[in-house]
Amino acid sequence: MPERGLLIVFSGPSGVGKGTVRAAIFESSQHQFDYSVSMTTRQQRPGEVDGKDYFFTTREAFEEKIKSGQMLEYAEYVGNYYGTPLEYVNQTLDQGKDVFLEIEVQGALQVKEKVPDGVFIFLTPPDLDELRGRLSGRGTDSLAVINERMEKAREEIKLMSEYDYAVVNDEVHLAVERVKKIVEAEHFRVDRVIGRYQNMVDVAAHNIG
Ligand code: 5GP
């Protein structure tokens, strides 16, 4: 049986650029992991593809999946459900491949409870002024909504202590490289590989004896 893959949880406050960094990671020719497509009840945006960007579904169907234990995690964000279907994650990890989740902070904390040996990466803004600039730059939210999101971001940044790594998103290509290096290094951690070496030593001892 192959060694189980790593579960990489990529998260961070609203507006920090998680989606952009994630897309850049998956567009670059070399990435070592599979993306877990989330399920959501929000409206499909122009250009989004069902089954690629998200699995778009109804509230009823989503709630049914929660009830029957088919979601690894889920959260309600701005009036819509978002969640990670469990089956794909389990099957892919069992095949020995790494799985990459891009999710908001509440969902990430649920995964931490269930899969403590996941790799938890927090994407941070260079500073809060920059974050405010990005939220205003989207041009979609009123000042009141921006202030609300900033307050939420401040709360979320405090939760950074629950994560293993903080990656600053000063420039997208730099953030992408940092994430890739973290995943590469995680594969060399002794607690992840020691089982393999123990087997080797045991087989060698058996052959000698
Ligand atoms: P958007 O509507 O802009 O695509 O996503 C809104 C927020 O939901 C983003 O912060 C995104 O990271 C988060 N998100 C996307 N998929 C999931 C998921 O499966 N679970 C959780 N908890 N959050 C998600």
Side-chain angles (χ1 to χ4, degrees), residues 18 38 42 45 54 73 75 77 82-84 102-104 107:
K18 296 188 289 293
S38 294
R42 86 144 157 73
R45 293 178 188 145
Y54 282 105
E73 60 74 35
Y77 179 85
Y82 293 82
T84 305
E102 180 233 305
I103 60 179
E104 52 70 65

Side-chain angles (χ1 to χ4, degrees), residues 127-134 150:
D127 58 57
L128 284 176
D129 287 341
E130 167 104 19
L131 185 63
R132 179 177 282 280
R134 283 185 202 175
M150 286 298 294

Side-chain angles (χ1 to χ4, degrees), residues 103-116:
I103 60 179
E104 52 70 65
V105 173
Q106 293 309 319
L109 298 183
Q110 292 170 40
V111 180
K112 179 95 195 274
E113 290 275 304
K114 292 186 181 168
V115 191

